[in-house]
Amino acid sequence: MSMPKTPSGSSLIGLDIAGSFFAPIQDAAPPSPTKRHTIKISIIGTGNVGMAIAQTILTQDLADELTLVDALPDKLRGEMLDLQHAAAFLPRTTISASTDFSATAASDLCIVTAGARQNPGESRLNLLHRNVNLFRKIIPPLVEYSPDAILLIVSNPVDILTYVAWKLSGFPSNRVIGSGTNLDSSRFRFLIADHLDVNAQDVQAYIIGEHGDSSVALWSSISIGGVPILSFLEKRQIPYEKATLENIHKEVINCAYEVIKLKGYTSWAIGYSVANLARSILRDQRRIHPVSVLAKGFHDIDGGDVFLSLPAQLGRGGLLGVINVPITDEEAERLRESAKTILEVQAQLGV
C-alpha cells in the first residue's frame, strides 16, 4: 500500500507565507528561457578584484565557461594562461579571454568590476563621470551579445554605477544587481561573532543602504542562533551601550580602508562575496543577500530611482523579491538619508 504524499508546509498552515514575507518586484522579467545545460559567466575587468572573483568561481565550480574581458591584452592573456595552467587541479571549465565583447555572447551572468582609478587630487565626482563614460562602452555591448543575462555590478561607487548600468542596459530592474553591502554584512557578522565568541554563520545581521559611509546597521533585527539579541538583552535586563554598537558599525565601514592601507587593495573577501552571489543566482538558491537593488518605494524611499542595498532574495531570475524586514523609525530615516545622498550625486551625471 503506497503512502499518500504529505502536502507542503504552506498548505498545512493554510497561509501564503511567502507572498506576505517578500515585497514583489514591479515589472520583473521572467528567468532566461535558455535551456542550455552549461553555465557561462563573463567577468569584465581583470584587476585584483576581477581575478579574485574568477579564482573563487573556478574553485567553487560555478561555471562551465568563464570569459575574461579587459582592455589590456598582455595582462589579459597572462591571467588567462595562469588560470588555464591550473586545469589539473580544478573542475573542468573552459577559460577564454578577449578584448572584444563578442566573446561574452550568450552569458548567463556578466560581472562588471572594471573602473577608472582615482588620480591624485581628483574629485570623487570627476572620477564618477569617468566611470560613467567607461560604462557607456561596457554595458551596451554586453546587452547586445547577452540579452538574457543578469548584470552583477561590483565597480565602485557600486550603488550609482548599478543605477547607471540599469539605465544604459534597458533591462528590467530585477536583472541588474549591485554587490552592495553583501561584503559589509559579512564583516558585520564577523565582528559581532568575534565580540560574542560565536560562529559567524550563526549570526543573522544586515548592513543596508549605501555601500559606503552612510550605510545603515540593522541592530533591531540581529539574531544569534535565532535569538533576537537586543530584545534578549532587554528582557534579561542586561545593560549595553549604544556607543558600543556604533563602534562596531564604524569598524565595518573602516575595514576596507584598513585593508587598502595595509596591502593596497581589497580582493579576497569581495571575491568570495561575489562568488556567493553568483551561486545564489545561477543555482537558483533563493537565498537572502543584502544587495543593491532599485529601492524606490521601499521603506518610503522617494525622490527618484535609486539603487541601495536591501535584504533581497536571489535566484535564476535575478532579484526575486525584497524581504519585508522590520526596521525602526531611526533606521528608516537613516536609509532615506542614504538615498538622498546618492540621488544628489546622480542628478549631476546626466544619465
Side-chain angles (χ1 to χ4, degrees), residues 109-114 135 138-139 142 150-166 175-180 270 274 277 292:
L109 180 66
C110 294
I111 302 172
V112 182
T113 73
F135 267 46
I138 291 173
I139 303 301
L142 288 180
I150 291 166
L151 298 180
L152 179 53
I153 310 302
V154 184
S155 311
N156 277 317
V158 69
D159 302 297
I160 293 176
L161 289 180
T162 304
Y163 164 80
V164 170
W166 172 58
R175 284 171 47 205
V176 184
I177 300 163
S179 55
I270 188 64
V274 174
L277 298 176
S292 194

PDB file of all heavy atoms in Angstrom, residues 109-114 135 138-139 142 150-166 175-180 270 274 277 292:
ATOM      1  N   LEU A 109      25.561  35.201 -16.776  1.00  0.00           N
ATOM      2  CA  LEU A 109      25.858  36.221 -15.762  1.00  0.00           C
ATOM      3  C   LEU A 109      27.055  37.030 -16.220  1.00  0.00           C
ATOM      4  O   LEU A 109      28.097  36.467 -16.567  1.00  0.00           O
ATOM      5  CB  LEU A 109      26.152  35.544 -14.410  1.00  0.00           C
ATOM      6  CG  LEU A 109      26.494  36.458 -13.229  1.00  0.00           C
ATOM      7  CD1 LEU A 109      25.286  37.317 -12.843  1.00  0.00           C
ATOM      8  CD2 LEU A 109      26.952  35.638 -12.023  1.00  0.00           C
ATOM      9  N   CYS A 110      26.917  38.353 -16.240  1.00  0.00           N
ATOM     10  CA  CYS A 110      28.025  39.249 -16.568  1.00  0.00           C
ATOM     11  C   CYS A 110      28.393  40.032 -15.312  1.00  0.00           C
ATOM     12  O   CYS A 110      27.556  40.760 -14.764  1.00  0.00           O
ATOM     13  CB  CYS A 110      27.639  40.215 -17.681  1.00  0.00           C
ATOM     14  SG  CYS A 110      27.336  39.417 -19.274  1.00  0.00           S
ATOM     15  N   ILE A 111      29.620  39.869 -14.859  1.00  0.00           N
ATOM     16  CA  ILE A 111      30.095  40.523 -13.639  1.00  0.00           C
ATOM     17  C   ILE A 111      31.033  41.655 -14.040  1.00  0.00           C
ATOM     18  O   ILE A 111      32.061  41.424 -14.678  1.00  0.00           O
ATOM     19  CB  ILE A 111      30.825  39.522 -12.722  1.00  0.00           C
ATOM     20  CG1 ILE A 111      29.896  38.363 -12.355  1.00  0.00           C
ATOM     21  CG2 ILE A 111      31.347  40.211 -11.476  1.00  0.00           C
ATOM     22  CD1 ILE A 111      30.584  37.221 -11.621  1.00  0.00           C
ATOM     23  N   VAL A 112      30.671  42.880 -13.690  1.00  0.00           N
ATOM     24  CA  VAL A 112      31.455  44.046 -14.094  1.00  0.00           C
ATOM     25  C   VAL A 112      32.264  44.560 -12.906  1.00  0.00           C
ATOM     26  O   VAL A 112      31.709  44.993 -11.890  1.00  0.00           O
ATOM     27  CB  VAL A 112      30.547  45.169 -14.631  1.00  0.00           C
ATOM     28  CG1 VAL A 112      31.387  46.363 -15.089  1.00  0.00           C
ATOM     29  CG2 VAL A 112      29.682  44.653 -15.776  1.00  0.00           C
ATOM     30  N   THR A 113      33.598  44.496 -13.039  1.00  0.00           N
ATOM     31  CA  THR A 113      34.487  45.002 -11.987  1.00  0.00           C
ATOM     32  C   THR A 113      35.340  46.157 -12.492  1.00  0.00           C
ATOM     33  O   THR A 113      36.079  46.762 -11.724  1.00  0.00           O
ATOM     34  CB  THR A 113      35.432  43.890 -11.469  1.00  0.00           C
ATOM     35  OG1 THR A 113      36.426  43.620 -12.467  1.00  0.00           O
ATOM     36  CG2 THR A 113      34.675  42.619 -11.151  1.00  0.00           C
ATOM     37  N   ALA A 114      35.257  46.457 -13.795  1.00  0.00           N
ATOM     38  CA  ALA A 114      36.099  47.488 -14.398  1.00  0.00           C
ATOM     39  C   ALA A 114      35.746  48.859 -13.842  1.00  0.00           C
ATOM     40  O   ALA A 114      34.583  49.174 -13.585  1.00  0.00           O
ATOM     41  CB  ALA A 114      35.926  47.480 -15.922  1.00  0.00           C
ATOM     42  N   PHE A 135      31.370  52.949 -18.507  1.00  0.00           N
ATOM     43  CA  PHE A 135      30.192  52.064 -18.556  1.00  0.00           C
ATOM     44  C   PHE A 135      29.426  52.222 -19.874  1.00  0.00           C
ATOM     45  O   PHE A 135      28.782  51.284 -20.333  1.00  0.00           O
ATOM     46  CB  PHE A 135      29.272  52.333 -17.354  1.00  0.00           C
ATOM     47  CG  PHE A 135      29.548  51.434 -16.177  1.00  0.00           C
ATOM     48  CD1 PHE A 135      30.844  51.218 -15.740  1.00  0.00           C
ATOM     49  CD2 PHE A 135      28.519  50.781 -15.524  1.00  0.00           C
ATOM     50  CE1 PHE A 135      31.116  50.381 -14.673  1.00  0.00           C
ATOM     51  CE2 PHE A 135      28.779  49.934 -14.444  1.00  0.00           C
ATOM     52  CZ  PHE A 135      30.083  49.735 -14.022  1.00  0.00           C
ATOM     53  N   ILE A 138      30.909  49.707 -21.962  1.00  0.00           N
ATOM     54  CA  ILE A 138      30.841  48.319 -21.485  1.00  0.00           C
ATOM     55  C   ILE A 138      29.427  47.735 -21.563  1.00  0.00           C
ATOM     56  O   ILE A 138      29.224  46.635 -22.099  1.00  0.00           O
ATOM     57  CB  ILE A 138      31.355  48.226 -20.027  1.00  0.00           C
ATOM     58  CG1 ILE A 138      32.860  48.488 -19.976  1.00  0.00           C
ATOM     59  CG2 ILE A 138      31.027  46.867 -19.411  1.00  0.00           C
ATOM     60  CD1 ILE A 138      33.411  48.575 -18.559  1.00  0.00           C
ATOM     61  N   ILE A 139      28.458  48.457 -21.012  1.00  0.00           N
ATOM     62  CA  ILE A 139      27.117  47.891 -20.830  1.00  0.00           C
ATOM     63  C   ILE A 139      26.390  47.614 -22.147  1.00  0.00           C
ATOM     64  O   ILE A 139      25.854  46.499 -22.328  1.00  0.00           O
ATOM     65  CB  ILE A 139      26.264  48.778 -19.897  1.00  0.00           C
ATOM     66  CG1 ILE A 139      26.958  48.965 -18.526  1.00  0.00           C
ATOM     67  CG2 ILE A 139      24.871  48.174 -19.721  1.00  0.00           C
ATOM     68  CD1 ILE A 139      27.218  47.676 -17.777  1.00  0.00           C
ATOM     69  N   LEU A 142      27.524  44.344 -23.821  1.00  0.00           N
ATOM     70  CA  LEU A 142      27.146  43.181 -23.005  1.00  0.00           C
ATOM     71  C   LEU A 142      25.685  42.828 -23.257  1.00  0.00           C
ATOM     72  O   LEU A 142      25.327  41.651 -23.412  1.00  0.00           O
ATOM     73  CB  LEU A 142      27.358  43.471 -21.515  1.00  0.00           C
ATOM     74  CG  LEU A 142      28.788  43.536 -20.992  1.00  0.00           C
ATOM     75  CD1 LEU A 142      28.784  43.832 -19.495  1.00  0.00           C
ATOM     76  CD2 LEU A 142      29.548  42.248 -21.280  1.00  0.00           C
ATOM     77  N   ILE A 150      22.032  38.275 -16.644  1.00  0.00           N
ATOM     78  CA  ILE A 150      21.875  39.085 -15.433  1.00  0.00           C
ATOM     79  C   ILE A 150      23.169  39.873 -15.268  1.00  0.00           C
ATOM     80  O   ILE A 150      24.269  39.315 -15.405  1.00  0.00           O
ATOM     81  CB  ILE A 150      21.600  38.204 -14.210  1.00  0.00           C
ATOM     82  CG1 ILE A 150      20.213  37.567 -14.331  1.00  0.00           C
ATOM     83  CG2 ILE A 150      21.699  39.013 -12.906  1.00  0.00           C
ATOM     84  CD1 ILE A 150      19.959  36.441 -13.375  1.00  0.00           C
ATOM     85  N   LEU A 151      23.052  41.175 -15.012  1.00  0.00           N
ATOM     86  CA  LEU A 151      24.220  42.019 -14.793  1.00  0.00           C
ATOM     87  C   LEU A 151      24.471  42.139 -13.297  1.00  0.00           C
ATOM     88  O   LEU A 151      23.569  42.500 -12.533  1.00  0.00           O
ATOM     89  CB  LEU A 151      24.002  43.409 -15.387  1.00  0.00           C
ATOM     90  CG  LEU A 151      23.780  43.511 -16.901  1.00  0.00           C
ATOM     91  CD1 LEU A 151      23.574  44.980 -17.306  1.00  0.00           C
ATOM     92  CD2 LEU A 151      24.953  42.916 -17.662  1.00  0.00           C
ATOM     93  N   LEU A 152      25.696  41.829 -12.886  1.00  0.00           N
ATOM     94  CA  LEU A 152      26.097  41.965 -11.480  1.00  0.00           C
ATOM     95  C   LEU A 152      27.229  42.984 -11.434  1.00  0.00           C
ATOM     96  O   LEU A 152      28.328  42.732 -11.928  1.00  0.00           O
ATOM     97  CB  LEU A 152      26.540  40.610 -10.921  1.00  0.00           C
ATOM     98  CG  LEU A 152      27.022  40.564  -9.466  1.00  0.00           C
ATOM     99  CD1 LEU A 152      25.997  41.183  -8.517  1.00  0.00           C
ATOM    100  CD2 LEU A 152      27.316  39.120  -9.059  1.00  0.00           C
ATOM    101  N   ILE A 153      26.953  44.144 -10.861  1.00  0.00           N
ATOM    102  CA  ILE A 153      27.905  45.252 -10.850  1.00  0.00           C
ATOM    103  C   ILE A 153      28.687  45.263  -9.535  1.00  0.00           C
ATOM    104  O   ILE A 153      28.096  45.216  -8.452  1.00  0.00           O
ATOM    105  CB  ILE A 153      27.184  46.609 -11.034  1.00  0.00           C
ATOM    106  CG1 ILE A 153      26.234  46.556 -12.244  1.00  0.00           C
ATOM    107  CG2 ILE A 153      28.198  47.739 -11.166  1.00  0.00           C
ATOM    108  CD1 ILE A 153      26.879  46.201 -13.560  1.00  0.00           C
ATOM    109  N   VAL A 154      30.016  45.317  -9.674  1.00  0.00           N
ATOM    110  CA  VAL A 154      30.893  45.317  -8.498  1.00  0.00           C
ATOM    111  C   VAL A 154      31.695  46.619  -8.418  1.00  0.00           C
ATOM    112  O   VAL A 154      32.135  47.031  -7.348  1.00  0.00           O
ATOM    113  CB  VAL A 154      31.848  44.099  -8.538  1.00  0.00           C
ATOM    114  CG1 VAL A 154      32.700  44.019  -7.274  1.00  0.00           C
ATOM    115  CG2 VAL A 154      31.057  42.798  -8.710  1.00  0.00           C
ATOM    116  N   SER A 155      31.887  47.282  -9.560  1.00  0.00           N
ATOM    117  CA  SER A 155      32.670  48.521  -9.624  1.00  0.00           C
ATOM    118  C   SER A 155      32.110  49.567  -8.666  1.00  0.00           C
ATOM    119  O   SER A 155      30.894  49.673  -8.481  1.00  0.00           O
ATOM    120  CB  SER A 155      32.638  49.082 -11.048  1.00  0.00           C
ATOM    121  OG  SER A 155      32.946  48.092 -12.002  1.00  0.00           O
ATOM    122  N   ASN A 156      33.004  50.363  -8.092  1.00  0.00           N
ATOM    123  CA  ASN A 156      32.583  51.404  -7.147  1.00  0.00           C
ATOM    124  C   ASN A 156      32.589  52.789  -7.782  1.00  0.00           C
ATOM    125  O   ASN A 156      33.364  53.051  -8.692  1.00  0.00           O
ATOM    126  CB  ASN A 156      33.517  51.391  -5.923  1.00  0.00           C
ATOM    127  CG  ASN A 156      33.105  50.339  -4.925  1.00  0.00           C
ATOM    128  OD1 ASN A 156      31.920  50.177  -4.641  1.00  0.00           O
ATOM    129  ND2 ASN A 156      34.071  49.618  -4.387  1.00  0.00           N
ATOM    130  N   PRO A 157      31.717  53.712  -7.298  1.00  0.00           N
ATOM    131  CA  PRO A 157      30.705  53.521  -6.248  1.00  0.00           C
ATOM    132  C   PRO A 157      29.563  52.648  -6.761  1.00  0.00           C
ATOM    133  O   PRO A 157      28.879  53.022  -7.715  1.00  0.00           O
ATOM    134  CB  PRO A 157      30.225  54.934  -5.928  1.00  0.00           C
ATOM    135  CG  PRO A 157      30.528  55.724  -7.163  1.00  0.00           C
ATOM    136  CD  PRO A 157      31.725  55.109  -7.808  1.00  0.00           C
ATOM    137  N   VAL A 158      29.390  51.490  -6.128  1.00  0.00           N
ATOM    138  CA  VAL A 158      28.565  50.426  -6.701  1.00  0.00           C
ATOM    139  C   VAL A 158      27.094  50.797  -6.845  1.00  0.00           C
ATOM    140  O   VAL A 158      26.447  50.413  -7.828  1.00  0.00           O
ATOM    141  CB  VAL A 158      28.731  49.120  -5.895  1.00  0.00           C
ATOM    142  CG1 VAL A 158      28.119  49.225  -4.504  1.00  0.00           C
ATOM    143  CG2 VAL A 158      28.140  47.939  -6.657  1.00  0.00           C
ATOM    144  N   ASP A 159      26.541  51.553  -5.919  1.00  0.00           N
ATOM    145  CA  ASP A 159      25.110  51.876  -5.989  1.00  0.00           C
ATOM    146  C   ASP A 159      24.809  52.770  -7.193  1.00  0.00           C
ATOM    147  O   ASP A 159      23.869  52.517  -7.952  1.00  0.00           O
ATOM    148  CB  ASP A 159      24.651  52.559  -4.694  1.00  0.00           C
ATOM    149  CG  ASP A 159      24.913  51.694  -3.477  1.00  0.00           C
ATOM    150  OD1 ASP A 159      24.329  50.604  -3.399  1.00  0.00           O
ATOM    151  OD2 ASP A 159      25.722  52.094  -2.617  1.00  0.00           O
ATOM    152  N   ILE A 160      25.626  53.796  -7.383  1.00  0.00           N
ATOM    153  CA  ILE A 160      25.407  54.715  -8.504  1.00  0.00           C
ATOM    154  C   ILE A 160      25.704  54.018  -9.827  1.00  0.00           C
ATOM    155  O   ILE A 160      24.966  54.181 -10.806  1.00  0.00           O
ATOM    156  CB  ILE A 160      26.270  55.981  -8.324  1.00  0.00           C
ATOM    157  CG1 ILE A 160      25.781  56.777  -7.105  1.00  0.00           C
ATOM    158  CG2 ILE A 160      26.209  56.851  -9.579  1.00  0.00           C
ATOM    159  CD1 ILE A 160      26.615  57.997  -6.776  1.00  0.00           C
ATOM    160  N   LEU A 161      26.763  53.222  -9.877  1.00  0.00           N
ATOM    161  CA  LEU A 161      27.113  52.551 -11.126  1.00  0.00           C
ATOM    162  C   LEU A 161      26.121  51.432 -11.468  1.00  0.00           C
ATOM    163  O   LEU A 161      25.932  51.112 -12.645  1.00  0.00           O
ATOM    164  CB  LEU A 161      28.544  52.028 -11.075  1.00  0.00           C
ATOM    165  CG  LEU A 161      29.615  53.124 -11.124  1.00  0.00           C
ATOM    166  CD1 LEU A 161      31.017  52.516 -11.057  1.00  0.00           C
ATOM    167  CD2 LEU A 161      29.479  53.982 -12.376  1.00  0.00           C
ATOM    168  N   THR A 162      25.469  50.863 -10.474  1.00  0.00           N
ATOM    169  CA  THR A 162      24.404  49.888 -10.756  1.00  0.00           C
ATOM    170  C   THR A 162      23.208  50.602 -11.381  1.00  0.00           C
ATOM    171  O   THR A 162      22.596  50.102 -12.330  1.00  0.00           O
ATOM    172  CB  THR A 162      23.975  49.146  -9.473  1.00  0.00           C
ATOM    173  OG1 THR A 162      25.126  48.532  -8.885  1.00  0.00           O
ATOM    174  CG2 THR A 162      22.945  48.063  -9.771  1.00  0.00           C
ATOM    175  N   TYR A 163      22.904  51.789 -10.868  1.00  0.00           N
ATOM    176  CA  TYR A 163      21.845  52.619 -11.468  1.00  0.00           C
ATOM    177  C   TYR A 163      22.206  52.958 -12.915  1.00  0.00           C
ATOM    178  O   TYR A 163      21.365  52.851 -13.826  1.00  0.00           O
ATOM    179  CB  TYR A 163      21.678  53.901 -10.640  1.00  0.00           C
ATOM    180  CG  TYR A 163      20.906  55.001 -11.340  1.00  0.00           C
ATOM    181  CD1 TYR A 163      19.514  54.984 -11.397  1.00  0.00           C
ATOM    182  CD2 TYR A 163      21.584  56.056 -11.957  1.00  0.00           C
ATOM    183  CE1 TYR A 163      18.813  55.984 -12.042  1.00  0.00           C
ATOM    184  CE2 TYR A 163      20.892  57.060 -12.612  1.00  0.00           C
ATOM    185  CZ  TYR A 163      19.508  57.025 -12.652  1.00  0.00           C
ATOM    186  OH  TYR A 163      18.816  58.019 -13.303  1.00  0.00           O
ATOM    187  N   VAL A 164      23.458  53.357 -13.139  1.00  0.00           N
ATOM    188  CA  VAL A 164      23.923  53.707 -14.482  1.00  0.00           C
ATOM    189  C   VAL A 164      23.798  52.500 -15.416  1.00  0.00           C
ATOM    190  O   VAL A 164      23.325  52.612 -16.551  1.00  0.00           O
ATOM    191  CB  VAL A 164      25.390  54.213 -14.437  1.00  0.00           C
ATOM    192  CG1 VAL A 164      25.974  54.342 -15.846  1.00  0.00           C
ATOM    193  CG2 VAL A 164      25.468  55.553 -13.710  1.00  0.00           C
ATOM    194  N   ALA A 165      24.228  51.321 -14.931  1.00  0.00           N
ATOM    195  CA  ALA A 165      24.145  50.098 -15.733  1.00  0.00           C
ATOM    196  C   ALA A 165      22.697  49.775 -16.081  1.00  0.00           C
ATOM    197  O   ALA A 165      22.396  49.355 -17.214  1.00  0.00           O
ATOM    198  CB  ALA A 165      24.778  48.929 -14.979  1.00  0.00           C
ATOM    199  N   TRP A 166      21.795  49.969 -15.130  1.00  0.00           N
ATOM    200  CA  TRP A 166      20.368  49.707 -15.360  1.00  0.00           C
ATOM    201  C   TRP A 166      19.824  50.640 -16.448  1.00  0.00           C
ATOM    202  O   TRP A 166      19.151  50.192 -17.381  1.00  0.00           O
ATOM    203  CB  TRP A 166      19.597  49.898 -14.052  1.00  0.00           C
ATOM    204  CG  TRP A 166      18.111  49.848 -14.183  1.00  0.00           C
ATOM    205  CD1 TRP A 166      17.364  48.812 -14.673  1.00  0.00           C
ATOM    206  CD2 TRP A 166      17.183  50.888 -13.823  1.00  0.00           C
ATOM    207  NE1 TRP A 166      16.029  49.143 -14.635  1.00  0.00           N
ATOM    208  CE2 TRP A 166      15.892  50.392 -14.120  1.00  0.00           C
ATOM    209  CE3 TRP A 166      17.321  52.153 -13.273  1.00  0.00           C
ATOM    210  CZ2 TRP A 166      14.740  51.150 -13.892  1.00  0.00           C
ATOM    211  CZ3 TRP A 166      16.185  52.911 -13.038  1.00  0.00           C
ATOM    212  CH2 TRP A 166      14.908  52.413 -13.344  1.00  0.00           C
ATOM    213  N   ARG A 175      17.023  42.306 -13.204  1.00  0.00           N
ATOM    214  CA  ARG A 175      18.170  41.675 -13.853  1.00  0.00           C
ATOM    215  C   ARG A 175      19.417  42.538 -13.801  1.00  0.00           C
ATOM    216  O   ARG A 175      20.409  42.254 -14.466  1.00  0.00           O
ATOM    217  CB  ARG A 175      17.827  41.303 -15.293  1.00  0.00           C
ATOM    218  CG  ARG A 175      16.945  40.052 -15.358  1.00  0.00           C
ATOM    219  CD  ARG A 175      16.425  39.781 -16.744  1.00  0.00           C
ATOM    220  NE  ARG A 175      17.466  39.872 -17.758  1.00  0.00           N
ATOM    221  CZ  ARG A 175      17.221  40.157 -19.043  1.00  0.00           C
ATOM    222  NH1 ARG A 175      15.980  40.393 -19.436  1.00  0.00           N
ATOM    223  NH2 ARG A 175      18.200  40.210 -19.904  1.00  0.00           N
ATOM    224  N   VAL A 176      19.399  43.599 -12.978  1.00  0.00           N
ATOM    225  CA  VAL A 176      20.587  44.433 -12.751  1.00  0.00           C
ATOM    226  C   VAL A 176      20.761  44.577 -11.239  1.00  0.00           C
ATOM    227  O   VAL A 176      19.932  45.179 -10.559  1.00  0.00           O
ATOM    228  CB  VAL A 176      20.448  45.817 -13.408  1.00  0.00           C
ATOM    229  CG1 VAL A 176      21.747  46.616 -13.235  1.00  0.00           C
ATOM    230  CG2 VAL A 176      20.102  45.687 -14.884  1.00  0.00           C
ATOM    231  N   ILE A 177      21.832  43.996 -10.721  1.00  0.00           N
ATOM    232  CA  ILE A 177      22.044  43.905  -9.270  1.00  0.00           C
ATOM    233  C   ILE A 177      23.451  44.394  -8.946  1.00  0.00           C
ATOM    234  O   ILE A 177      24.402  44.111  -9.674  1.00  0.00           O
ATOM    235  CB  ILE A 177      21.886  42.439  -8.800  1.00  0.00           C
ATOM    236  CG1 ILE A 177      20.484  41.920  -9.113  1.00  0.00           C
ATOM    237  CG2 ILE A 177      22.186  42.296  -7.306  1.00  0.00           C
ATOM    238  CD1 ILE A 177      20.362  40.406  -9.067  1.00  0.00           C
ATOM    239  N   GLY A 178      23.581  45.133  -7.857  1.00  0.00           N
ATOM    240  CA  GLY A 178      24.899  45.562  -7.390  1.00  0.00           C
ATOM    241  C   GLY A 178      25.347  44.699  -6.221  1.00  0.00           C
ATOM    242  O   GLY A 178      24.523  44.249  -5.425  1.00  0.00           O
ATOM    243  N   SER A 179      26.656  44.467  -6.111  1.00  0.00           N
ATOM    244  CA  SER A 179      27.166  43.648  -4.995  1.00  0.00           C
ATOM    245  C   SER A 179      26.873  44.285  -3.645  1.00  0.00           C
ATOM    246  O   SER A 179      26.788  43.607  -2.626  1.00  0.00           O
ATOM    247  CB  SER A 179      28.668  43.404  -5.151  1.00  0.00           C
ATOM    248  OG  SER A 179      29.376  44.633  -5.272  1.00  0.00           O
ATOM    249  N   GLY A 180      26.689  45.607  -3.640  1.00  0.00           N
ATOM    250  CA  GLY A 180      26.149  46.313  -2.481  1.00  0.00           C
ATOM    251  C   GLY A 180      26.846  46.048  -1.162  1.00  0.00           C
ATOM    252  O   GLY A 180      28.073  46.053  -1.061  1.00  0.00           O
ATOM    253  N   ILE A 270      35.978  40.264  -1.316  1.00  0.00           N
ATOM    254  CA  ILE A 270      34.995  40.601  -2.347  1.00  0.00           C
ATOM    255  C   ILE A 270      34.891  39.458  -3.352  1.00  0.00           C
ATOM    256  O   ILE A 270      33.817  39.202  -3.907  1.00  0.00           O
ATOM    257  CB  ILE A 270      35.338  41.951  -3.039  1.00  0.00           C
ATOM    258  CG1 ILE A 270      34.212  42.387  -3.978  1.00  0.00           C
ATOM    259  CG2 ILE A 270      36.654  41.886  -3.786  1.00  0.00           C
ATOM    260  CD1 ILE A 270      32.902  42.675  -3.314  1.00  0.00           C
ATOM    261  N   VAL A 274      31.218  37.916  -4.103  1.00  0.00           N
ATOM    262  CA  VAL A 274      30.581  37.906  -5.423  1.00  0.00           C
ATOM    263  C   VAL A 274      30.314  36.476  -5.893  1.00  0.00           C
ATOM    264  O   VAL A 274      29.276  36.192  -6.500  1.00  0.00           O
ATOM    265  CB  VAL A 274      31.435  38.693  -6.433  1.00  0.00           C
ATOM    266  CG1 VAL A 274      30.861  38.569  -7.843  1.00  0.00           C
ATOM    267  CG2 VAL A 274      31.507  40.163  -6.028  1.00  0.00           C
ATOM    268  N   LEU A 277      27.183  35.405  -4.355  1.00  0.00           N
ATOM    269  CA  LEU A 277      26.014  35.927  -5.072  1.00  0.00           C
ATOM    270  C   LEU A 277      25.776  35.148  -6.361  1.00  0.00           C
ATOM    271  O   LEU A 277      24.635  34.823  -6.701  1.00  0.00           O
ATOM    272  CB  LEU A 277      26.211  37.413  -5.388  1.00  0.00           C
ATOM    273  CG  LEU A 277      26.363  38.365  -4.197  1.00  0.00           C
ATOM    274  CD1 LEU A 277      26.644  39.778  -4.682  1.00  0.00           C
ATOM    275  CD2 LEU A 277      25.130  38.344  -3.305  1.00  0.00           C
ATOM    276  N   SER A 292      22.493  45.660  -3.812  1.00  0.00           N
ATOM    277  CA  SER A 292      21.985  46.929  -4.319  1.00  0.00           C
ATOM    278  C   SER A 292      20.899  46.684  -5.360  1.00  0.00           C
ATOM    279  O   SER A 292      21.151  46.060  -6.397  1.00  0.00           O
ATOM    280  CB  SER A 292      23.144  47.728  -4.915  1.00  0.00           C
ATOM    281  OG  SER A 292      22.769  49.067  -5.112  1.00  0.00           O
TER     282      SER A 292
END
